[in-house]
Amino acid sequence: MSVGPPTLTHLIARERSQMAPTTTTGHDPTTDPHAQARQWFEAEPLWFKRAVFYEIHIRGFFDADGDGSGDVRGLTEKLDYLQWLGIDCIWLLPFYRSPLRDGGYDIADFTAVHPDYGNVDDVHELIEAAHARRIRVIADLVMNHTSNDHPWFQESRSGGRGPENPKRDWYVWSDTVHRYEDARIIFIDTETSNWTWDETAGAYYWHRFFSHQPDLNYDNPEVQDAMLEVLHFWLDLGLDGFRLDAVPYLYEREGTICENLHETHAYLKRVRQEIDSKYPDRVLLAEANQWPADVVEYFGEGDECHMAFHFPVMPRMFMAIRREEAVPIYEILEGTPTIPDSCQWGLFLRNHDELTLEMVTDEERDYMYAEYAKDPRMKLNLGIRRRLAPLLDNGRDEIELLHAIMFSLPGSPVLYYGDEIAMGDNVFLGDRDGVRTPMQWTGDRNGGFSRADFAQLYAPPLMDPVYGFQAVNVEAQLRTATSQLRWLHRFISLRKEHPVFGFGTYEPIEPSNPRIFAHLRRFEDDLVLCVHNVARSAQAVELDLSAYEGRYPVELFGRSRFPRIGELPYLLTLGPRGFFWFQLVEGDEKDDE
């Protein structure tokens, strides 16, 4: 009897069977796996500093019930794949009940799950299954606003202004638009004002984003308490933390830009205190698209958010490889303040939003548009709505180089679903939907994403000859030893072998060649030298490593030892878009014999 080629399920099962056992020394394997996992989690309070995060749009990941939309049960079925890949923490985009005018960021019920995704029990089962595999789960929580369909807003707008309407003050109302006029409009493509008139309420309501997303009024203590109750609900269910969406905008004050206000930080300190006292191993990740000097405030003294995204470093990585000079990366890191030892930056190349260009100069923005968004449909707000592979013209060398730079920087890397296989995008879909298309699992119908009829799918899978699911999918790359997926799997494993990347200091090295980005990471006795060539041609560089005379650079991938470091500048040659990671180890004279 002939045996056909292995299926995706068989491939993943075979890969997992070759992995190390999940039980750890000192743990009784007969105990309940969920309790054991939680015990293991609590033993690592700073787990997020070494973690590799993986962002998932549930609707686009895997459809378990065949209705054309991804769901929580579908994600649960794919946890073995994520465990094999080496993911430590899943970040879920909003899965709450919502009219989905903004991809779920317009929440209509904070403690209910959108019916397309499943129910609360499904989420609980997902968390338990992930924990059994030593994978944590965090979720987006939109603290700043709700959907205008939320019962809180409906009561606020329809019950009059007097004491008979206790919800009126849960949102920001005004009789005039001439308030908070120094605040910028964020979605300049669609909104002309931060105020929208509501006929039923007979007043204007305040919104920093879309007009269907009214801002909550955090000057009302009841709103503060209500959001804490939402946190408790999901943390009690087992969630490992939250990405706090749009936190810079919680409060409004006249004469300010209504961002990064003192009151916002005071409330976040209260949230952190609540988390630490009852859920000590959980994490808060701030989404604050600001300059590093402003973002660092969201760490407080180690008493606000555990993590925050480093937005400005991302576009400068793309700028560096297109300009073929490392200056943009050096400059933004030089301007990044020191953060508390218990905190961590979140680093990413791409995510569910546009490649934001808010934190660049006008000249830099024009340059990025000219280089990466030649088609006007690729632009959105102040950004570029493209996935990683199309941005880099599907260049394998460029994709690997950018991952190497991101993984080497101080911070925890955040991967976006599908980028590990170089998925493409669909610029013909509206808003940000072009980068939220179905995950491509196999070359079968609908890319293995769903058994539904094509017309039922929430969005069409990619079918172009370069990025379509028949050309790019998980199953095919698992069968290919040299695929990008295989490479990234090995790369994640390598990074995990060296705690220096999570805990170490960052020391830039001034190279003799401006096309080289080089730096040292140091943690305890571990010293790693990272050298990256951002040029599309081979380059030579001399590095002043005289402070480490007598040490030997050992290349981390092949464990190859390079010549001994002496007093003179150390010469390296790198291929186009090439990089080296070296561990600098002690040696003695007889090693040269």
Side-chain angles (χ1 to χ4, degrees), residues 233-298:
F233 178 87
W234 292 109
L235 293 173
D236 288 341
L237 202 71
L239 208 63
D240 296 287
F242 299 95
R243 170 190 177 266
L244 302 180
D245 183 72
V247 288
Y249 314 104
L250 300 187
Y251 285 82
E252 302 80 30
R253 292 292 183 267
E254 288 291 355
T256 75
I257 62 172
C258 299
E259 299 177 21
N260 309 316
L261 297 180
H262 168 76
E263 293 84 353
T264 294
H265 292 291
Y267 181 66
L268 289 176
K269 290 179 187 294
R270 179 187 173 190
V271 171
R272 174 64 181 272
Q273 185 177 21
E274 191 82 4
I275 297 294
D276 285 350
S277 64
K278 298 178 180 178
Y279 315 96
D281 60 325
R282 316 300 171 89
V283 67
L284 298 174
L285 169 57
E287 188 243 1
N289 189 359
Q290 313 279 329
W291 290 103
D294 294 320
V295 177
V296 75
E297 299 297 325
Y298 288 88

Side-chain angles (χ1 to χ4, degrees), residues 189-206:
D189 286 357
T190 56
E191 305 297 330
T192 58
S193 172
N194 288 322
W195 293 101
T196 291
W197 175 258
D198 186 276
E199 195 66 41
T200 300
Y204 296 95
Y205 62 86
W206 175 256

Side-chain angles (χ1 to χ4, degrees), residues 52-114:
V52 175
F53 290 76
Y54 186 90
E55 180 188 5
I56 293 177
H57 178 38
I58 295 177
R59 183 177 290 277
F61 203 60
F62 184 66
D63 174 19
D65 60 10
D67 67 351
S69 177
D71 44 53
V72 177
R73 283 178 45 222
L75 171 53
T76 304
E77 292 183 18
K78 295 298 185 181
L79 287 176
D80 286 347
Y81 165 72
L82 297 178
Q83 183 184 18
W84 167 81
L85 184 57
I87 300 305
D88 299 295
C89 184
I90 297 168
W91 157 27
L92 300 176
L93 295 188
F95 51 79
Y96 316 100
R97 190 181 299 275
S98 165
L100 300 180
R101 299 190 193 99
D102 184 24
Y105 285 90
D106 47 332
I107 298 173
D109 188 336
F110 285 102
T111 57
V113 176
H114 192 284

Side-chain angles (χ1 to χ4, degrees), residues 300-408:
E301 300 296 327
D303 58 353
E304 285 190 40
C305 294
H306 305 77
M307 296 182 66
F309 283 117
H310 197 316
F311 277 92
V313 76
M314 178 268 299
R316 285 164 178 82
M317 285 191 275
F318 288 95
M319 203 178 299
I321 65 169
R322 194 53 62 95
R323 288 182 176 176
E324 300 187 59
E325 61 178 20
V327 172
I329 305 176
Y330 278 119
E331 286 183 343
I332 195 64
L333 292 173
E334 183 180 1
T336 299
T338 303
I339 64 176
D341 290 340
S342 61
C343 298
Q344 183 69 300
W345 290 109
L347 306 171
F348 64 99
L349 297 174
R350 289 302 306 114
N351 59 22
H352 63 288
D353 283 333
E354 64 272 19
L355 190 163
T356 178
L357 298 175
E358 289 187 68
M359 297 299 115
V360 298
T361 65
D362 290 342
E363 180 182 357
E364 290 171 333
R365 186 178 301 115
D366 290 341
Y367 176 81
M368 289 291 287
Y369 279 147
E371 293 294 329
Y372 289 106
K374 293 179 170 60
D375 186 333
R377 284 172 296 209
M378 298 174 182
K379 300 178 184 179
L380 182 68
N381 298 316
L382 289 177
I384 301 169
R385 55 189 197 105
R386 302 227 69 187
R387 268 189 178 267
L388 178 64
L391 277 168
L392 301 175
D393 298 320
N394 208 26
R396 174 73 178 268
D397 290 343
E398 286 77 8
I399 292 172
E400 291 186 4
L401 174 63
L402 282 188
H403 276 96
I405 293 174
M406 176 177 69
F407 274 45
S408 75

Side-chain angles (χ1 to χ4, degrees), residues 106-154:
D106 47 332
I107 298 173
D109 188 336
F110 285 102
T111 57
V113 176
H114 192 284
D116 287 355
Y117 298 162
N119 54 46
V120 172
D121 288 339
D122 291 334
V123 175
H124 180 66
E125 291 176 9
L126 166 66
I127 294 170
E128 292 285 279
H131 285 176
R133 292 166 174 81
R134 303 285 170 82
I135 299 174
R136 293 175 170 86
V137 183
I138 67 172
D140 257 315
L141 181 66
V142 185
M143 301 187 74
N144 180 69
H145 53 262
T146 70
S147 165
N148 57 7
D149 287 357
H150 198 293
W152 295 347
F153 184 73
Q154 291 300 316

Side-chain angles (χ1 to χ4, degrees), residues 507 509 520-522 527 529 544-553 564-567 570 584-587:
E507 303 171 30
I509 297 176
L520 288 162
R521 302 296 310 277
R522 187 196 307 268
L527 182 63
L529 169 66
D544 182 5
L545 302 177
S546 57
Y548 311 102
E549 182 181 358
R551 290 182 180 245
Y552 289 85
R564 179 176 174 272
I565 298 172
E567 296 180 4
Y570 198 84
L584 305 186
V585 301
E586 299 282 359

